[in-house]
Amino acid sequence: MPDNLPDKMRAVAIKNNTGPADALHITTIPLPKPTASQALVKIHAFGLNRMDLLQREGRYPVPPQAPSTLGVEFSGTVVSFPPGADNPEGFKEGDEVFGLAYGGAYAEYIAVSTHMLVRKPSELSWEQCAGIPETWITALQALYLVGGYTPGKSVLWHAGASSVSIAGIQLARADGAAKVFATARQDAKCEFCVKELGCDGALNSTKEEPGWVEEVLKATEGKGVDIVVDFVGADYFQGNLDVLARDGRAVHLGAMSGTKLPAGVDISAFIRKRIRFEGSSLRSRDEEYQGKLRDQLVEHALPKFKDGSFKVLIDKVFNWEDVVEAHKYMESNQSKGKIICKIS
């Protein structure tokens, strides 16, 4: 490693290892040492994700290879490689990149696999690039690998103003979806999904009459949708079964409303409509799996970022020294798009 690199760096830590947003603080920890398959990157910005909130509270199963520092997506500059580094993409010191990591992005430096780095397009800012990796790779995984999407299918994205759904809505629309719907819990977010993202319909899921299930069935002439991508969990389980078309797929990525199903849930649709319900995650996957999705991001989405077809929508940018406020803002559920922290 270059002689001018420090031995230590600043990073966000959690007092007593778990706790509320106020437990976050910046401390000094040793500089990470990259392994033979990694590069050391100086971070300029990092993205927040809901898993960060859960990990902070001690409610997220962290992969064994992840450092204790939060954060899985970032943008920055390559500063060094270990001798004989595995570097198939030919990255060089000084290259501007963004990437996905198992953890450690809430810091000044990160050691990250060269297989998970992507060259930063000049058309995008550091903040925009920091909001791409986890969000867009998760959307690609949900839509294609798990959901089995092909052009002409219809898709419903719950939590439509969340970063993953914003990405997924754009992917589906660009790839010839018959219809794209969304749900959200605020009228302003529903309006955003239609006017800004081009959804065919966006339904406020807090309204009971008519509910989102009835509205989607009406808009599809009773057929339902082919794919539902859900982050909400228990409260939407029955509705997902009801709204899915024959041979439909539900992709379960989160459980914001809990994991215990209420009494009276009717699962007959699994047989009657031949529904497939599949849960998935990204962070727990091995590097080979994640690397294939990284390649799909580069091939499928990166050109559209460059020409402006795909938008990286940022709701708010915080200085990383205000990370407590950033976490509280995410917890408030006000955001429409990514929340980013920049390192000045």
Side-chain angles (χ1 to χ4, degrees):
M1 294 188 4
D3 296 334
N4 60 345
L5 284 174
D7 294 328
K8 297 183 180 296
M9 67 174 184
R10 292 188 299 162
V12 176
I14 310 166
K15 295 174 185 175
N16 300 318
N17 297 320
T18 61
D22 287 317
L24 297 172
H25 66 106
I26 295 178
T27 188
T28 300
I29 64 174
L31 192 76
K33 289 181 169 54
T35 66
S37 63
Q38 293 180 326
L40 185 68
V41 176
K42 181 175 176 59
I43 294 177
H44 297 305
F46 58 83
L48 272 63
N49 292 281
R50 288 204 171 267
M51 76 174 81
D52 302 345
L53 309 185
L54 296 174
Q55 183 178 340
R56 189 201 71 215
E57 296 170 350
R59 297 192 293 125
Y60 188 91
V62 180
Q65 67 269 50
S68 60
T69 304
L70 298 170
V72 298
E73 59 182 352
F74 63 91
S75 61
T77 304
V78 176
V79 294
S80 70
F81 300 92
D86 176 20
N87 184 15
E89 297 291 329
F91 291 105
K92 304 184 299 297
E93 292 179 9
D95 280 353
E96 298 180 344
V97 297
F98 62 94
L100 184 69
Y102 286 108
Y106 284 30
E108 291 181 308
Y109 294 87
I110 189 169
V112 61
S113 168
T114 58
H115 298 262
M116 297 309 299
L117 293 176
V118 179
R119 287 180 171 82
K120 173 186 172 294
S122 60
E123 294 86 352
L124 299 182
S125 68
W126 291 114
E127 291 81 8
Q128 287 173 311
C129 286
I132 291 174
E134 170 70 18
T135 297
W136 284 79
I137 287 177
T138 298
L140 284 163
Q141 177 197 31
L143 190 62
Y144 293 99
L145 267 67
V146 184
Y149 176 81
T150 53
K153 289 188 175 183
S154 55
V155 190
L156 168 62
W157 293 85
H158 288 306
S162 69
S163 299
V164 174
S165 289
I166 288 171
I169 289 165
Q170 293 182 76
L171 287 166
R173 290 189 65 245
D175 202 10
K179 296 280 186 181
V180 181
F181 300 99
T183 67
R185 296 179 62 83
Q186 300 170 23
D187 287 339
K189 289 185 176 183
C190 291
E191 184 177 0
F192 166 81
C193 290
V194 173
K195 291 187 175 180
E196 298 294 327
L197 303 178
C199 281
D200 295 284
L203 303 316
N204 188 326
S205 57
T206 67
K207 295 182 177 179
E208 296 183 1
E209 296 293 339
W212 59 269
V213 173
E214 291 76 17
E215 292 281 17
V216 172
L217 289 174
K218 179 180 177 182
T220 58
E221 298 180 342
K223 176 189 174 185
V225 292
D226 299 302
I227 301 168
V228 172
V229 183
D230 181 33
F231 312 86
V232 180
D235 287 355
Y236 288 9
F237 186 85
Q238 183 68 69
N240 289 337
L241 297 184
D242 295 341
V243 83
L244 276 166
R246 190 177 297 274
D247 295 313
R249 296 189 185 186
V251 182
H252 179 60
L253 298 181
M256 294 172 63
S257 68
T259 59
K260 304 294 185 181
L261 296 181
V265 168
D266 180 0
I267 63 172
S268 64
F270 280 112
I271 297 173
R272 180 167 42 85
K273 295 196 286 187
R274 301 191 297 267
I275 286 172
R276 179 185 300 180
F277 183 99
E278 185 171 348
S280 191
S281 63
L282 178 62
R283 194 176 181 186
S284 62
R285 301 285 189 170
D286 62 30
E287 189 177 297
E288 181 181 1
Y289 180 96
Q290 292 190 3
K292 290 177 181 178
L293 285 166
R294 174 263 181 207
D295 294 344
Q296 190 173 6
L297 173 73
V298 170
E299 296 164 9
H300 190 85
L302 196 60
K304 290 184 171 62
F305 291 131
K306 292 180 178 180
D307 68 19
S309 308
F310 283 166
K311 307 294 184 183
V312 183
L313 299 181
I314 296 176
D315 183 276
K316 199 166 184 177
V317 176
F318 291 83
N319 188 294
W320 80 308
E321 293 176 346
D322 298 321
V323 67
V324 170
E325 286 70 27
H327 269 233
K328 288 181 177 179
Y329 183 62
M330 176 168 274
E331 289 174 331
S332 75
N333 295 321
Q334 298 177 59
S335 59
K336 297 188 289 290
K338 288 298 296 189
I339 300 169
I340 303 293
C341 284
K342 63 178 181 179
I343 299 180
S344 55

